Amino acid sequence: MKGAFYQGNKSLRVGDSPPQPPASGEVRLDIAYGGICGTDVHIYLGHMDHRVRMPQVIGHEMSGTVAEVGEGVTEFKVGDKAVVRPWVPCGRCPACKMGHYNVCHQINVLGVDTPGCFQSSWTVPVQTLHRLPDDIDLKLAALVEPVAVAAHAVRIGQVAEKEHVVVIGAGPIGILVALESRLKGANVLISEINPFRIDLAREFGLEVANPKETDLPAHVTEKTGGAGADIVFEVTGSAPGAEIMTRLARTRGRIIIVGIFAEPAPVALGQFFLRELRARGVRLHEPEDFETAIPLVASRAVPFEKLISDVRPLERIQDTFEEIERGANFMKVLLKCSG
Ligand SMILES: [Zn+2]
Ligand SMILES: [Zn+2]
């Protein structure tokens, strides 16, 4: 049984990772595939060394099969296919007391604060599990977690039929927010500057604008009959995204902040006055977002497989992260974790 351990200094070592027998209320999973996420890249680059206890197995996007159940677990049995909602709330803080567990003040994000899924065998609390249909393709199922992130953003944004939606950023989450908004019947435009990502977004039939070539606010104004977009999703976490987002929304429009801003970014707050805009952040997901994401992935209503750039053995994790750091054109790379 193997695992990929982050040991600091841009180094991931694949070594022995013995299966942990599940304690009461826990389940041990055999991991099929793990998906590499931007968060994993941040860990690799050392941005999260204050949270990660090295050496530690990282990874939080996965698909797998129940291999062993601990005492008292009745909801799952050996052989069930499942994904993990990779966070555990403290249950005691003010956010938890309000029922907003995904923004727990002491949240334990699996694969960041505690060991993750880039290993053959992963033991987790049963309440983090979501059941998959037996016939689901486990490669596609490894995309359920990011699909749930997007489902959360679309649900909180209250995307409705015929609304004009602008998504800033066509990385995996941006594309998923755009696709899931389109499924709600919205009229979607996605903004992106990277040619590889532009091409991929177009393969999904999305309308794409490159703000380096097109005057994006003017284009959105024209497309919406002078009004502006009902909803703007900022999914880049970048200063240019923060700068432009307020210039795209209609009067009383909604701005949903999905991207992670590691640094403060200037925002034209005057637009909030002029247009009575509203802004709302979204973080992670809630259980119901997995209940949306799983049937969506299983239904194949959207060719999510186009997001999978490559499937590689876990042993190639180090060179894969090095390629990503060098700017490789990847959307989602899956690591085959099975022993
Ligand atoms: Zn992720
Ligand atoms: Zn809490």
Side-chain angles (χ1 to χ4, degrees):
M1 292 293 190
K2 62 199 175 186
F5 295 84
Y6 171 67
Q7 42 190 16
N9 225 350
K10 298 186 184 176
S11 166
L12 289 153
R13 180 181 55 83
V14 177
D16 190 40
S17 180
Q20 302 292 320
S24 172
E26 289 185 337
V27 170
R28 185 172 70 77
L29 295 157
D30 285 336
I31 305 296
Y33 298 96
I36 297 175
C37 168
T39 302
D40 302 313
V41 178
H42 281 294
I43 292 173
Y44 166 81
L45 294 172
H47 300 162
M48 298 172 82
D49 282 359
H50 57 290
R51 276 177 72 177
V52 182
R53 265 165 291 176
M54 296 166 245
Q56 185 186 292
V57 173
I58 63 168
H60 60 270
E61 300 180 7
M62 50 64 72
S63 60
T65 307
V66 174
E68 206 179 335
V69 298
E71 203 188 303
V73 172
T74 53
E75 312 91 304
F76 287 87
K77 60 180 192 312
V78 172
D80 285 347
K81 288 181 179 176
V83 290
V84 169
R85 174 172 29 83
W87 49 268
V88 180
C90 76
R92 295 178 305 273
C93 73
C96 284
K97 282 190 176 146
M98 287 190 289
H100 306 322
Y101 299 106
N102 62 314
V103 285
C104 167
H105 298 183
Q106 277 101 36
I107 199 161
N108 165 14
V109 178
L110 309 184
V112 178
D113 303 302
T114 51
C117 65
F118 292 161
Q119 53 182 335
S120 322
S121 180
W122 195 26
T123 301
V124 295
V126 68
Q127 74 265 23
T128 64
L129 254 61
H130 290 270
R131 188 184 309 280
L132 295 170
D134 284 334
D135 59 352
I136 201 165
D137 175 339
L138 286 174
K139 285 194 189 95
L140 284 180
L143 300 175
V144 164
E145 195 273 345
V147 171
V149 168
H152 183 64
V154 168
R155 179 168 63 83
I156 298 294
Q158 297 181 305
V159 175
E161 209 178 337
K162 297 203 170 76
E163 283 194 311
H164 283 282
V165 168
V166 177
V167 179
I168 306 172
I173 300 295
I175 287 186
L176 289 169
V177 167
L179 294 171
E180 294 179 47
S181 295
R182 189 171 68 183
L183 285 172
K184 294 273 181 203
N187 185 321
V188 181
L189 172 72
I190 191 162
S191 159
E192 176 59 54
I193 56 172
N194 174 306
F196 165 75
R197 292 180 165 193
I198 289 172
D199 286 348
L200 191 66
R202 289 204 172 115
E203 270 188 50
F204 282 103
L206 291 166
E207 185 194 342
V208 190
N210 181 346
K212 290 213 161 144
E213 292 167 359
T214 306
D215 181 340
L216 188 62
H219 179 65
V220 171
T221 301
E222 192 201 319
K223 183 179 146 81
T224 55
D230 299 285
I231 313 177
V232 178
F233 289 98
E234 202 308 303
V235 200
T236 66
S238 72
E243 190 280 324
I244 210 164
M245 66 186 186
T246 53
R247 298 197 281 136
L248 306 175
R250 69 160 162 84
T251 295
R252 294 199 175 178
R254 295 99 86 190
I255 294 177
I256 308 294
I257 310 294
V258 189
I260 299 172
F261 285 84
E263 301 287 335
V267 174
L269 289 174
Q271 286 292 104
F272 281 84
F273 167 78
L274 288 172
R275 293 205 156 181
E276 293 198 341
L277 302 179
R278 281 179 291 170
R280 167 73 191 262
V282 288
R283 184 180 181 190
L284 296 166
H285 22 49
E286 293 175 271
E288 65 191 283
D289 301 312
F290 278 76
E291 300 310 322
T292 301
I294 290 167
L296 181 55
V297 171
S299 74
R300 293 176 170 260
V302 176
F304 289 119
E305 63 276 5
K306 284 185 197 291
L307 288 174
I308 302 173
S309 304
D310 204 1
V311 182
R312 299 177 169 191
L314 185 63
E315 286 75 6
R316 287 192 57 197
I317 190 168
Q318 177 73 34
D319 65 72
T320 302
F321 274 73
E322 287 171 9
E323 275 182 71
I324 292 169
E325 191 189 357
R326 287 197 300 269
N329 281 333
F330 290 144
M331 197 49 76
K332 189 60 80 180
V333 176
L334 301 186
L335 298 167
K336 193 170 182 295
C337 296
S338 45

